[in-house]
């Protein structure tokens, strides 16, 4: 779905009319979140959002993967495989699976870390542990109560924040903000904006760390496109952020085509994009996540450039300390319970 524009406006008649539904949805979700989850037996770190849509969870998971390996851990990502047809449990294999099978994000992450896809997260835990996991990284699932989480790191785009602060469908929040704040162990703000400053202040007041990070474009991709005219298309939570990132790198964005998050491009759509690019002598460029949905499909035009990014934390020492502390406490708690 495309997120409604009124979600990111301070006042809207539509939001007001939908508020009763939001209150009901929020109450149900809050009750679910209060349940005690199953103990996986090994540390579980969850990377989530307060709201629907994307904000940078996947780059955060990949950055944490690198850190955990530096700490001597063997992480395995646990994903629901949103948008894929396989229920799992299954370990993602780039040679066998497509985005239609297991979703775009698992297919993108598996290049760097083993990924278990399972609609039933308990089955996913068993599969991850069979692969030698010492830590499970949950990609999303903050509001899901099935698994006990040893730490929840919440990701927010600092330029968009949490919109109007109302619960779906009146706004983008998945549950009332107060209850979500109380279950947050660390906040990750991506970018240099100030739309989430109030949330950051609340988290800091609760004694929890607020970590700043930036998405850094891949140098090779920038060099390939620098000074050239492009037609940029994207089916992610915030396509405009991708378009702005390209322009900030000195790439001339002549035309843009936004699509809904996780959009599965049809053959006709791809051919139309290629025709538009040829007509105006533009280069087609998209995100890595979108490009993963095109991999292995027939009829995909040649010459589409995937624009890769990596997440860089401003204070790696603090991030290392936060993660190390939570791993230690998780293992100490399990040892004391024996």
């Amino acid at each position: 779905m495309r997120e409604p524009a009124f979600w990111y406006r301070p006042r809207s008649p539509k939001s007001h009319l939908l508020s009763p539904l939001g209150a009901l949805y929020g109450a149900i979700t809050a009750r679910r979140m209060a349940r005690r989850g199953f103990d996986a037996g090994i540390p579980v770190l969850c990377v989530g959002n307060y709201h629907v849509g994307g904000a940078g969870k996947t780059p955060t998971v990949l950055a944490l993967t690198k850190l955990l390996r530096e700490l001597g851990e063997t992480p395995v990502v646990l994903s629901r495989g949103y948008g894929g047809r396989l229920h799992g449990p299954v370990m993602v294999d780039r040679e066998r699976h497509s985005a239609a099978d297991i979703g775009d994000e698992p297919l993108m992450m598996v290049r760097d870390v083993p990924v278990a896809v399972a609609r039933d997260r308990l089955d996913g835990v068993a599969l991850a542990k069979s692969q030698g996991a010492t830590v499970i990284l949950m990609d999303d699932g903050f509001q899901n109560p099935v698994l006990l989480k040893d730490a929840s790191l919440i990701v927010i785009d600092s330029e968009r924040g949490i919109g109007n602060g109302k619960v779906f469908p009146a706004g983008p929040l998945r549950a009332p903000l107060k209850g979500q704040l109380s279950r947050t162990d660390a906040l990750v703000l991506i970018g240099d904006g100030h739309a989430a400053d109030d949330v950051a202040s609340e988290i800091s007041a609760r004694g929890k760390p607020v970590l700043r990070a930036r998405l850094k474009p891949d140098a090779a991709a920038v060099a390939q496109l620098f000074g050239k005219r492009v037609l940029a298309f994207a089916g992610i939570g915030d396509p405009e952020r991708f378009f702005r990132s390209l322009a900030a790198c000195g790439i001339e964005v002549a035309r843009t085509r936004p699509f809904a998050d996780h959009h599965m491009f049809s053959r006709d759509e791809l051919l139309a994009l290629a025709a538009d690019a040829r007509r105006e002598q533009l280069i087609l460029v998209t995100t890595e996540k979108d490009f993963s949905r095109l991999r292995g499909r027939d009829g995909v035009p040649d010459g589409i450039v995937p624009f890769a990014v990596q997440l860089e934390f401003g204070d790696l020492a603090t991030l290392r300390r936060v993660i190390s502390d939570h791993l230690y406490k998780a293992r100490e708690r399990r040892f004391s319970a024996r």
Side-chain angles (χ1 to χ4, degrees), residues 146-332:
V146 172
L147 276 184
L148 177 67
K149 303 166 186 72
D150 293 288
S152 292
L153 288 77
I154 301 302
V155 182
I156 297 182
D157 181 333
S158 66
E159 294 184 4
R160 280 165 41 100
I162 58 170
N164 61 13
K166 295 183 180 295
V167 177
F168 179 89
L173 292 183
R174 299 183 181 187
L177 182 60
K178 184 177 180 181
Q180 297 197 86
L181 291 171
S182 67
R183 288 175 167 78
T184 300
D185 296 292
L187 185 68
V188 179
L189 293 181
I190 298 181
D192 300 316
H194 299 284
D197 285 357
D198 288 347
V199 176
S201 296
E202 180 66 28
I203 290 295
S204 294
R206 293 168 181 260
K208 302 297 175 65
V210 175
L211 303 160
R212 291 273 180 179
R214 291 181 179 177
L215 290 170
K216 181 180 178 182
D218 177 72
V222 173
Q224 183 179 357
L225 297 170
F226 183 78
K228 297 181 180 178
R229 301 174 71 244
V230 305
L231 190 165
F233 67 100
I236 57 176
D238 183 13
E240 294 299 327
R241 180 179 63 181
F242 170 58
F243 304 149
R244 290 194 302 269
S245 297
L246 291 171
C249 293
I251 298 164
E252 185 179 347
V253 183
R255 292 191 60 185
T256 62
R257 284 290 307 277
F259 294 86
D261 197 13
H262 301 283
H263 181 74
M264 293 300 292
F265 299 97
S266 70
R267 187 173 185 274
D268 287 345
E269 286 171 334
L270 293 170
L271 290 176
L273 286 167
D276 288 346
R278 282 196 305 271
R279 185 167 51 250
E280 300 184 35
Q281 296 183 317
L282 307 176
I283 296 173
L284 281 173
V285 59
T286 192
T287 69
E288 265 197 312
K289 191 167 96 168
D290 288 295
F291 194 75
S292 71
R293 294 198 295 278
L294 306 179
R295 185 177 179 273
R297 289 178 50 188
D298 294 329
V300 176
D302 294 330
I304 299 177
V305 178
F307 194 75
V309 296
Q310 288 185 333
L311 191 68
E312 288 193 346
F313 282 86
D315 188 349
L316 270 176
T318 297
L319 176 65
R320 180 184 289 267
R321 176 180 56 77
V322 167
I323 297 302
S324 297
D325 285 352
H326 281 295
L327 292 177
Y328 175 80
K329 291 174 182 176
R331 290 180 171 127
E332 182 181 48

Side-chain angles (χ1 to χ4, degrees), residues 33-56:
M33 290 180 69
R35 300 175 192 166
R36 180 173 175 81
F38 173 81
D39 190 338
I42 59 176
V44 174
L45 307 181
C46 175
V47 178
N49 296 135
Y50 294 140
H51 58 289
V52 300

